[in-house]
Amino acid sequence: MQKRDAEALRNCSVCLLKDLVVDELLIQALVKDGILTQNMAESIMVQKTSHHRSFKLLLLLPKRGPRAFKSFCSALKETEQEHLCDLLTQEEEGREVCLDSVQSETETTGRPGWLKRANKRETPLINSEEQSEVSSSMSYPIHDSDSCCCCCCCSGPSARDENKERQRAKISGSSLPYPTQEEFAPKRAKTLESMESSLDADSPINTPVLACSADFYLSHCQQSYRMNSSPRGSVLVISNINFDPRAAPELDPRKGGEVDDEVLRKLFTELDYSVNFHRDLTAQDMKMVIENFCRRPDHQKVDSCVVCLLSHGVDGAIYGTDGQQLALDWVFEAFDNAHCPLLQNKPKMFFIQACRGDEMDCGVEQIDGPARTFSPTCEQRDAGREEQGDADGRQRASTGRQRIKLPQRSDMICGFASLKGQRICTAAMRNTKKGSWFIQELNTALRLNARDTHLADILVQVNKRIKEREGYAPGTAHHRCKEMSEFTSSLCKDLYLFPKYQPQC
């Protein structure tokens, strides 16, 4: 979608969410025009409320190509929602008129920020945040048809015309020209792309990592993974923030991603890890960097490994800057016991800050009372036949002793910023100034609790904190949005990082 069309859609998003009727006729018109796929149509219509359907549609449209805006306007007309179509086109035309007028006036008068209207009156643009400072002695504004979208929705054409007539009647018969018209530029709406905001207003926590005590180490080191090398291990951070606009026009810059990068660098440096950082890699470059990292000989001398991947993503993959996908299963395979033998029996930690779909979790209202439904636990036994593996089990090393065998993949734990479900894969939230929710909470939990809490419990704490968070973007569809993180684990022992403790040899 062209930039001016996307801006028109964003500026009118509040009115659209309130008035738009998303029914099968509207959706099928967009499917017929090739704007939406059938899967997208189903994901929209499965939403429980009209508000959620509208939100889902407005989230998809800016990423559906240059014809999406025109097709959406046509669909509005076909479904007898011409007033919303007029709202969008007026917003788009008004923006073009303003830009052209500003440029023309600047060239002729050298005074940027003034518009020349058809009635030859000069109109200063005043930011909406300064509106309250305008003197009451100044003349009241006369709203033209290209004023901000909320004004167009709140009052009908007849009301505007009557107001204009009353204003003109007050000054009729006077030799003075019309009063200077004041137009207040609408405050920039929060974009559909950067839909991440948080309730808190503080910066990422800078509390030093709390140190593990000698007593705690001595009482827990025997039943946990070995963790006393210095450094503890190597960290690979791949962070994609800026994407190729030609190869991947649908992938917006991950504003705030640079905050996550600095948070992770400081955190793992304090935890005594060697940090290897890479930014803005294509899918092929990510694959090459990961392969080289797996082959590092120093893995043999350390006790663990950490991989952090931050990018746009879908279920089961993350995007390179070229819009190509790197499968997460390939990443895990690269570190398994067969492909990375130097890390056998050592804990391998993965943290994935990426969406696993484009569904926004709008949350549900909590029902009063403690009643909840629990499913009974179910454990399925191994269905393999032991006798099929007898031949392999009798394989012996050259020394004549039986070699211990390992599963293909073990000793891994992976934290995901968002959920994967049977019907829905959710989006991960990122604050454009403070970084992503998941990295913020992971940073806080590790700094405060790694001294006496194993990693699986820390990730439970992260889940709890993210569950409590809500988006804060009043007046937009993203207000009170939710996120839920999760983790998977094949760890075989407790994983304590024992920060800042070095046993005496």
Side-chain angles (χ1 to χ4, degrees):
M1 182 176 289
Q2 296 184 14
K3 185 176 180 180
R4 69 173 185 272
D5 297 335
E7 288 176 350
L9 206 61
R10 286 194 293 266
N11 291 339
C12 298
S13 60
V14 175
C15 296
L16 288 171
L17 286 169
K18 183 170 63 174
D19 297 336
L20 179 62
V21 177
V22 179
D23 56 14
E24 292 183 358
L25 185 60
L26 177 73
I27 295 300
Q28 287 306 315
L30 295 173
V31 172
K32 181 180 178 182
D33 215 12
I35 303 302
L36 298 179
T37 66
Q38 196 61 45
N39 286 339
M40 291 177 181
E42 292 175 0
S43 69
I44 293 172
M45 295 308 297
V46 78
Q47 304 299 317
K48 295 181 179 179
T49 67
S50 177
H51 174 85
H52 290 166
R53 289 194 293 272
S54 300
F55 171 79
K56 175 66 175 175
L57 176 60
L58 294 178
L59 195 66
L60 289 173
L61 281 175
K63 302 179 181 181
R64 299 308 298 163
R67 297 189 301 108
F69 184 81
K70 184 177 180 181
S71 179
F72 179 53
C73 290
S74 298
L76 289 174
K77 292 180 180 179
E78 292 178 14
T79 55
E80 300 180 354
Q81 302 183 73
E82 291 90 349
H83 63 292
L84 295 179
C85 178
D86 294 339
L87 175 64
L88 288 170
T89 53
Q90 286 176 7
E91 175 68 22
E92 186 183 42
E93 292 170 359
R95 184 174 294 276
E96 290 179 351
V97 169
C98 288
L99 291 176
D100 293 340
S101 301
V102 167
Q103 183 178 1
S104 175
E105 184 70 13
T106 301
E107 292 173 354
T108 56
T109 67
R111 294 178 295 174
W114 291 69
L115 304 180
K116 187 175 289 184
R117 300 292 178 184
N119 57 14
K120 306 301 181 183
R121 289 173 287 157
E122 292 181 330
T123 308
L125 287 179
I126 303 177
N127 188 281
S128 61
E129 294 178 349
E130 301 171 354
Q131 182 172 352
S132 60
E133 301 176 7
V134 178
S135 172
S136 60
S137 62
M138 299 181 71
S139 303
Y140 293 148
I142 303 174
H143 294 287
D144 287 342
S145 61
D146 58 351
S147 57
C148 68
C149 63
C150 58
C151 296
C152 297
C153 292
C154 296
S155 59
S158 60
R160 291 200 302 271
D161 293 340
E162 290 174 4
N163 288 336
K164 293 168 74 172
E165 290 301 324
R166 284 197 295 269
Q167 290 288 342
R168 288 170 180 168
K170 289 181 181 180
I171 58 174
S172 61
S174 171
S175 59
L176 296 174
Y178 284 137
T180 299
Q181 176 186 347
E182 302 163 37
E183 296 228 9
F184 304 108
K187 192 172 182 179
R188 179 188 176 100
K190 290 188 180 292
T191 66
L192 291 173
E193 292 87 348
S194 56
M195 57 188 175
E196 305 96 72
S197 292
S198 62
L199 290 174
D200 54 335
D202 56 344
S203 58
I205 185 173
N206 290 319
T207 302
V209 172
L210 301 183
C212 169
S213 67
D215 289 342
F216 184 84
Y217 174 81
L218 293 174
S219 61
H220 288 79
C221 63
Q222 296 299 322
Q223 68 266 28
S224 62
Y225 284 100
R226 172 187 171 93
M227 192 66 67
N228 55 29
S229 64
S230 184
R232 295 287 195 255
S234 296
V235 177
L236 173 63
V237 180
I238 297 178
S239 176
N240 291 336
I241 296 178
N242 300 300
F243 296 79
D244 188 339
R246 293 171 296 180
E250 73 282 0
L251 298 178
D252 303 302
R254 295 179 58 254
K255 297 177 182 179
E258 61 279 355
V259 179
D260 289 341
D261 300 345
E262 185 64 13
V263 166
L264 291 172
R265 184 188 66 80
K266 290 181 178 179
L267 171 66
F268 284 107
T269 298
E270 284 192 58
L271 289 170
D272 194 16
Y273 279 86
S274 173
V275 181
N276 304 271
F277 183 83
H278 298 269
R279 177 178 286 181
D280 294 344
L281 301 181
T282 65
Q284 186 59 38
D285 288 341
M286 287 194 292
K287 191 172 183 178
M288 181 180 65
V289 166
I290 291 172
E291 288 175 338
N292 291 337
F293 183 78
C294 291
R295 290 194 291 263
R296 291 181 58 149
D298 54 356
H299 288 315
Q300 187 172 8
K301 302 177 183 179
V302 296
D303 292 334
S304 64
C305 167
V306 180
V307 177
C308 303
L309 303 177
L310 303 87
S311 185
H312 287 301
V314 294
D315 183 23
I318 60 171
Y319 283 105
T321 56
D322 55 351
Q324 299 300 309
Q325 296 179 7
L326 177 67
L328 291 177
D329 197 60
W330 179 89
V331 176
F332 301 141
E333 181 180 310
F335 288 89
D336 69 18
N337 294 319
H339 294 87
C340 192
L342 294 182
L343 287 173
Q344 287 181 0
N345 297 315
K346 298 179 182 180
K348 296 164 277 287
M349 295 162 269
F350 300 86
F351 302 104
I352 313 296
Q353 171 55 45
C355 295
R356 303 171 82 179
D358 54 10
E359 291 279 359
M360 174 62 62
D361 187 346
C362 297
V364 296
E365 295 295 332
Q366 178 174 310
I367 300 175
D368 292 337
R372 293 184 181 179
T373 301
F374 292 92
S375 300
T377 57
C378 177
E379 185 175 42
Q380 186 176 20
R381 299 198 307 182
D382 186 2
R385 297 181 179 178
E386 295 182 2
E387 58 268 25
Q388 290 182 350
D390 284 348
D392 293 334
R394 290 190 294 268
Q395 182 180 5
R396 299 179 180 275
S398 58
T399 60
R401 293 179 302 171
Q402 187 173 9
R403 177 179 297 176
I404 296 175
K405 298 190 69 175
L406 296 172
Q408 183 82 9
R409 189 178 300 175
S410 65
D411 307 292
M412 294 183 178
I413 186 168
C414 181
F416 293 94
S418 56
L419 286 178
K420 174 184 177 181
Q422 292 181 342
R423 296 181 58 189
I424 180 173
C425 293
T426 58
M429 306 305 294
R430 174 174 27 86
N431 185 286
T432 57
K433 294 182 180 179
K434 298 187 285 290
S436 65
W437 292 7
F438 180 66
I439 299 300
Q440 287 180 53
E441 299 300 345
L442 179 67
N443 174 55
T444 301
L446 285 173
R447 286 182 176 277
L448 299 181
N449 303 318
R451 61 175 177 172
D452 58 5
T453 308
H454 61 78
L455 186 59
D457 279 356
I458 286 177
L459 291 178
V460 170
Q461 295 173 3
V462 171
N463 287 350
K464 179 179 182 295
R465 288 284 297 142
I466 289 184
K467 176 185 174 183
E468 295 169 349
R469 296 186 70 153
E470 287 186 354
Y472 183 76
T476 74
H478 316 122
H479 189 46
R480 299 199 68 191
C481 60
K482 302 291 291 184
E483 176 184 334
M484 192 63 229
S485 57
E486 68 175 353
F487 68 95
T488 61
S489 175
S490 60
L491 295 180
C492 305
K493 301 179 183 179
D494 289 340
L495 174 51
Y496 292 98
L497 299 181
F498 300 126
K500 299 184 179 180
Y501 179 79
Q502 194 63 39
Q504 301 297 323
C505 298

